[in-house]
Amino acid sequence: MQGLLMTKQNSSAIFFDYNASVMTNQTLNTIAFPVGYNTNKEDHNISVHPNPAAGILYVNTGEQLKPKSLLVFDISGRIVETGNTKESKVQEVDVTKLATGIYFIELVHADGGKSVSRFVKK
């Protein structure tokens, strides 16, 4: 995952009645903003259906692609499912065990290229 990283140092002054202010300790806040999904090579076109899916998800890789492995990522980038592919232009992925949400499916091809598509688990 690629992203932006923002850091900022903060401090504060607290006033009690009419006395002089008391300064707090300085803190450092770090906030990460993920901005996209990084792939090593240019994406090939793949399609997934049905989308949203509740049971079996079908991934159409087309005639020219030779996928060798399959990864499913949740929205935070964690791998939640892995598997090997079969010699077919349509791969089947059982998503029944996944929680409801948005996921990314990545196929890694024999030539090192990757194909990524998004799907919704209902």
Side-chain angles (χ1 to χ4, degrees):
M1 296 287 264
Q2 292 180 333
L4 300 174
L5 191 63
M6 181 177 78
T7 59
K8 182 170 174 78
Q9 289 189 333
N10 294 318
S11 64
S12 180
I14 302 173
F15 295 90
F16 296 101
D17 298 324
Y18 295 103
N19 298 323
S21 65
V22 176
M23 294 302 292
T24 63
N25 293 335
Q26 198 170 52
T27 62
L28 176 66
N29 294 329
T30 304
I31 302 170
F33 299 99
V35 295
Y37 190 86
N38 186 22
T39 58
N40 294 336
K41 291 194 174 187
E42 186 175 319
D43 275 352
H44 302 287
N45 290 326
I46 62 172
S47 62
V48 295
H49 64 279
N51 195 4
I56 301 295
L57 179 71
Y58 298 96
V59 183
N60 188 345
T61 62
E63 296 291 336
Q64 74 279 11
L65 301 178
K66 302 279 189 248
K68 64 178 182 177
S69 67
L70 179 140
L71 301 168
V72 178
F73 296 89
D74 65 9
I75 194 72
S76 64
R78 291 178 300 184
I79 297 174
V80 295
E81 192 75 37
T82 62
N84 292 322
T85 57
K86 57 184 180 179
E87 291 288 328
S88 172
K89 71 176 191 170
V90 177
Q91 307 297 321
E92 295 179 6
V93 182
D94 185 359
V95 297
T96 55
K97 297 177 190 170
L98 299 178
T100 301
I102 299 172
Y103 293 89
F104 297 93
I105 189 160
E106 176 182 274
L107 295 175
V108 180
H109 306 290
D111 67 357
K114 297 179 181 179
S115 298
V116 179
S117 187
R118 180 179 54 205
F119 71 94
V120 176
K121 166 61 167 73
K122 63 177 178 177

